[in-house]
Amino acid sequence: MNTKETLIKSLDLQPHPEGGYYKETYRSQGNIAEECLSDAYNGSRSHATGIYFLLTSDNFSAFHKINQDEMWHFYDGASILLHIILKEGVYSQHIIGRNILAGEVPQLVVKGGDWFAAEVIGVDTFSFVGCTVSPGFDFKDFVLPSRKELVALFPEHTDVITRLTHH
Ligand code: GUN
């Protein structure tokens, strides 16, 4: 059975600013020119990118957003609880995992512009997933708000935002 140490070491995963560990596993060779992208993008982007992402239960992936739709894929470990706040303010929870009969899904798409955070279900364990985006990922599209900024946008979700932001 894989442990978090095996996965981090063997797959050369690095700390991610949102929490957890990651490695980019795919970046398309081709680029999409800025003129072909929506106004949300400044500059060109790869057609698509993919990462491995490992989250441990003593941490969480803090609320953030990107311009791209992001597809999550479940690989190993404990199921992961994804919290989404739509740009319009509607909050929902989704479980990414293999227990289909319990309503878990092995793939989930978060739409570009929506805020999301993730945490491992369980103690002293980890979740290992993949995340793919198109257009390709660029930290220019990555917004990691402070607790204060996000609470100001969605005061009705103060509790979950307070719990799942780092600062
Ligand atoms: N590359 C670096 N960080 C990320 C991320 O958070 N998501 C995706 N899809 N790619 C990344």
Side-chain angles (χ1 to χ4, degrees):
M1 212 172 74
N2 293 316
T3 63
K4 73 175 189 206
E5 290 81 11
T6 318
L7 290 168
I8 291 171
K9 196 154 181 254
S10 313
L11 298 174
D12 190 28
L13 307 181
Q14 304 297 326
H16 194 285
E18 84 195 37
Y21 301 83
Y22 82 114
K23 187 173 74 180
E24 190 170 277
T25 48
Y26 173 67
R27 178 167 290 271
S28 66
Q29 281 194 336
N31 278 318
I32 309 173
E34 181 171 9
E35 308 82 82
C36 302
L37 295 166
S38 79
D39 290 347
Y41 295 89
N42 94 59
S44 64
R45 295 288 181 275
S46 305
H47 284 281
T49 56
I51 57 167
Y52 289 138
F53 182 54
L54 185 144
L55 192 59
T56 53
S57 45
D58 56 1
N59 199 354
F60 57 83
S61 164
F63 271 105
H64 63 286
K65 70 172 181 178
I66 55 177
N67 290 328
Q68 299 84 341
D69 291 352
E70 179 162 59
M71 181 177 272
W72 291 59
H73 314 258
F74 185 79
Y75 298 143
D76 203 359
S79 304
I80 206 164
L81 178 61
L82 208 77
H83 304 258
I84 301 180
I85 304 176
L86 302 186
K87 34 180 133 24
E88 301 81 12
V90 178
Y91 168 80
S92 60
Q93 289 187 352
H94 310 263
I95 301 181
I96 305 171
R98 265 198 279 272
N99 195 347
I100 312 295
L101 290 177
E104 301 183 4
V105 289
Q107 288 187 345
L108 189 91
V109 174
V110 180
K111 291 290 186 61
D114 292 338
W115 301 92
F116 58 107
E119 56 186 337
V120 176
I121 299 177
V123 288
D124 202 18
T125 183
F126 69 91
S127 302
F128 183 49
V129 299
C131 300
T132 53
V133 296
S134 177
F137 186 87
D138 190 308
F139 273 104
K140 283 192 246 170
D141 305 318
F142 181 83
V143 182
L144 189 64
S146 70
R147 182 171 297 148
K148 201 171 152 210
E149 286 166 337
L150 206 55
V151 164
L153 283 178
F154 306 112
E156 66 277 32
H157 304 310
T158 296
D159 289 357
V160 72
I161 292 170
T162 302
R163 200 165 66 71
L164 297 175
T165 43
H166 289 295
H167 312 283

